[in-house]
Amino acid sequence: MSKRKVKDDHLPVGECITQVQDILRERFCRQQLPDRLEGVEAQHKHLLELLKRTAVHGESNSVLIVGPRGAGKTMLLKCVLRDLLEEKEAQKNLLQVHLNGLLQTDDRIALKEITRQLHLENVVGDKVFGSFAENLAFLLEALKKGDRSSSRPVLFVLDEFDLFAHHKNQTLLYNLFDVSQSAQAPVAVVGITCRLDVLELLEKRVKSRFSHRQIHLLSNPTFPQYLERVRTQLSLPDRFPDQEFCQDWNDGVETLCEDKSVQDVLQKHFNSSKDFRSLHMLLMLCLSRVSVSRPAIRPADLLEASRLCFTDSKANMLHGLSILELCLIIAMKHLNDVYEGEPFNLQMVHNEFKKFLQRKSNSMYNFEQPVIMKAFEHLQQLELIRPVDSTAAKTQREYQLMRLMLDHSQIMEALQKYPQCPTDVKQWAMSAFG
């Protein structure tokens, strides 16, 4: 019996690592709800009271949750719904419909989704509907359990709310707000948006039916809070099966967060984006480097993960170009310097390239016009250059105006890393910039 206990307390390292990765991946990817939201207690209380009035007391409401991406708008709503559904009456009666402006791009699709989420497909059947308002009224009527007072409350959550303002005549918004203002049925409409000017997008008739309640969230953590987030996100819970491994891991996380080089890297990410989702991506890359032979996250892992996060994909593409394509890029950059960013065409690039060739006795750079044309088209396919005007397709290809989608530093960095880049090409690039 005692032997079995010892075995349970000390798992093999491989099994511990697997469990660590499972727990942390779940945390980073699934965005587990915190037990208690910090810093937005007032907003949580306000929204909970509003939705409780609909779910429990049958009172209609409408509200907008506004804030930048990553501020925690969806997290706030999910926490409120979790707390709301602890009320037996809300749990029993409240129906939820979740719509997203990116998915429900017109009213017909939105209505279909409302019908599906309310499980009313069998009620609707092949019925030919009239206007959107009649459709919605029919759906809400179908939810009633007899008299008017027994209508089931419905919560409509409109994510990417601003995109619904682009629907024809804003019919969906008008009807939802209209119902939330009348006594037809208990309805709560919650819009989630990152547009601070969202009310300016609404038509007058829609705006007049909206309650004008707004809950603002501003994502403005301090760096110590950001660092604390790293610590809590990487730490293992007390319930971890191997307590000794858990303690070692959490001590390692403390040491990691106190390391000066780690804090410098995290400060760089904090200055770049305060969105915790980008932080989770960084931590996920660190976690992927943990193994049986390296059962802890080291400062070097964080530095490498940071390098991957800040990798410039366009500059990376340059490493795979042919010498000809690289020469054309240098010629384009030279034209950009001379003509101060004005667009160019293939003929101008070719002429610039010829100037370089005139300085060379070496014939290795002599390419036929069709080969140069092919290389130019390949750069366009890679989106390293793009046409100034997409409607100018009828223009002869040599004379179609283009813009270079790379800057000076990207090209110079790529030239330093380019495998076996000829010295004369590097010198030409330097002279072009000088």
Side-chain angles (χ1 to χ4, degrees):
M1 184 73 178
S2 59
K3 283 182 182 177
R4 175 66 189 265
K5 190 173 189 302
V6 171
K7 191 180 175 185
D8 283 348
D9 285 347
H10 295 283
L11 299 173
V13 177
E15 198 172 321
C16 286
I17 296 296
T18 302
Q19 292 210 28
V20 167
Q21 291 180 328
D22 286 346
I23 290 168
L24 298 190
R25 279 185 189 133
E26 176 87 13
R27 193 180 286 168
F28 300 152
C29 299
R30 295 277 178 87
Q31 288 290 286
Q32 288 177 333
L33 296 180
D35 296 331
R36 187 171 59 85
L37 280 174
E38 293 178 12
V40 290
E41 291 85 353
Q43 292 94 324
H44 179 274
K45 186 183 175 187
H46 184 186
L47 187 58
L48 183 58
E49 283 174 1
L50 272 178
L51 297 187
K52 198 178 280 187
R53 293 215 291 265
T54 302
V56 179
H57 306 296
E59 179 188 312
S60 292
N61 277 303
S62 56
V63 63
L64 281 177
I65 305 173
V66 185
R69 296 206 182 278
K73 301 182 293 296
T74 305
M75 181 77 80
L76 171 68
L77 179 62
K78 283 180 176 177
C79 286
V80 165
L81 287 175
R82 178 192 62 192
D83 297 345
L84 178 67
L85 293 174
E86 286 175 4
E87 297 256 351
K88 278 188 179 174
E89 200 168 333
Q91 194 176 33
K92 190 172 72 174
N93 291 325
L94 183 68
L95 295 167
Q96 296 181 40
V97 175
H98 293 261
L99 303 177
N100 190 308
L102 291 167
L103 302 175
Q104 283 76 48
T105 49
D106 63 42
D107 290 343
R108 184 184 58 79
I109 298 171
L111 193 71
K112 222 172 180 179
E113 186 59 18
I114 292 169
T115 308
R116 188 188 70 78
Q117 291 190 33
L118 293 177
H119 305 295
L120 293 175
E121 298 99 320
N122 57 334
V123 177
V124 176
D126 297 325
K127 180 177 168 63
V128 178
F129 286 146
S131 68
F132 185 90
E134 289 166 346
N135 292 333
L136 191 63
F138 176 81
L139 291 175
L140 294 172
E141 194 68 35
L143 294 172
K144 293 183 180 177
K145 298 182 290 187
D147 58 49
R148 254 182 132 62
S149 62
S150 63
S151 293
R152 290 186 69 180
V154 187
L155 167 66
F156 288 91
V157 177
L158 307 183
D159 213 342
E160 305 290 349
F161 177 85
D162 47 290
L163 297 181
F164 288 100
H166 299 307
H167 288 201
K168 190 181 177 187
N169 301 330
Q170 299 184 354
T171 310
L172 173 75
L173 297 182
Y174 173 79
N175 282 285
L176 287 178
F177 286 151
D178 192 46
V179 171
S180 73
Q181 223 185 30
S182 67
Q184 291 177 48
V187 165
V189 181
V190 177
I192 301 175
T193 180
C194 55
R195 290 276 302 257
L196 296 173
D197 63 341
V198 66
L199 289 182
E200 305 305 315
L201 305 175
L202 300 181
E203 291 177 6
K204 200 172 178 179
R205 66 187 190 125
V206 178
K207 208 184 285 189
S208 68
R209 280 160 176 76
F210 173 51
S211 68
H212 288 264
R213 285 192 187 91
Q214 292 187 57
I215 294 173
H216 286 269
L217 290 181
L218 297 172
S219 178
N220 200 22
T222 60
F223 182 67
Q225 287 171 331
Y226 190 83
L227 197 58
E228 183 57 32
R229 175 79 174 207
V230 173
R231 191 179 280 109
T232 55
Q233 288 295 295
L234 286 177
S235 297
L236 292 176
D238 295 337
R239 65 176 186 276
F240 193 80
D242 189 325
Q243 285 299 306
E244 192 177 324
F245 183 91
C246 178
Q247 188 62 50
D248 290 346
W249 176 274
N250 289 345
D251 289 347
V253 169
E254 286 293 328
T255 308
L256 183 78
C257 291
E258 287 164 12
D259 188 284
K260 180 70 173 69
S261 63
V262 166
Q263 289 188 6
D264 289 345
V265 167
L266 292 173
Q267 184 75 57
K268 184 181 174 186
H269 280 264
F270 176 76
N271 295 340
S272 169
S273 169
K274 294 174 177 60
D275 185 342
F276 286 129
R277 286 173 296 198
S278 63
L279 171 64
H280 290 156
M281 175 58 72
L282 173 73
L283 298 182
M284 182 69 97
L285 289 168
C286 293
L287 181 64
S288 67
R289 295 173 68 82
V290 173
S291 64
V292 175
S293 57
R294 292 187 302 191
I297 296 175
R298 304 165 307 160
D301 296 330
L302 197 84
L303 293 170
E304 177 59 21
S306 175
R307 190 188 65 75
L308 289 171
C309 281
F310 283 110
T311 295
D312 187 333
S313 57
K314 273 202 162 62
N316 268 358
M317 278 188 204
L318 295 179
H319 304 162
L321 297 183
S322 66
I323 291 293
L324 170 59
E325 289 163 345
L326 198 61
C327 286
L328 294 182
I329 291 279
I330 294 169
M332 291 167 197
K333 188 62 186 78
H334 196 18
L335 287 170
N336 265 3
D337 289 347
V338 173
Y339 298 109
E340 298 181 342
E342 287 296 308
F344 51 80
N345 58 36
L346 174 58
Q347 197 58 52
M348 293 164 70
V349 173
H350 196 181
N351 290 342
E352 193 64 34
F353 184 39
K354 280 178 185 171
K355 288 183 196 173
F356 167 62
L357 295 180
Q358 283 163 9
R359 305 206 300 255
K360 311 297 302 171
S361 56
N362 196 332
S363 61
M364 70 172 278
Y365 299 110
N366 291 333
F367 298 98
E368 297 294 323
Q369 175 71 13
V371 177
I372 291 174
M373 171 77 83
K374 191 79 177 164
F376 193 80
E377 286 172 353
H378 185 231
L379 294 176
Q380 189 178 340
Q381 286 166 1
L382 292 173
E383 296 182 1
L384 296 175
I385 57 173
R386 67 172 178 81
V388 172
D389 185 2
S390 55
T391 59
K394 292 175 186 172
T395 311
Q396 200 173 333
R397 280 188 297 180
E398 289 90 331
Y399 302 105
Q400 194 175 357
L401 289 176
M402 297 280 181
R403 282 196 193 282
L404 182 60
M405 307 309 291
L406 297 159
D407 62 30
H408 167 249
S409 60
Q410 287 174 311
I411 296 170
M412 288 310 294
E413 189 183 334
L415 281 169
Q416 297 306 319
K417 294 179 181 177
Y418 191 92
Q420 296 158 353
C421 180
T423 309
D424 50 2
V425 171
K426 277 188 184 176
Q427 287 170 346
W428 177 42
M430 295 298 285
S431 68
F433 301 136

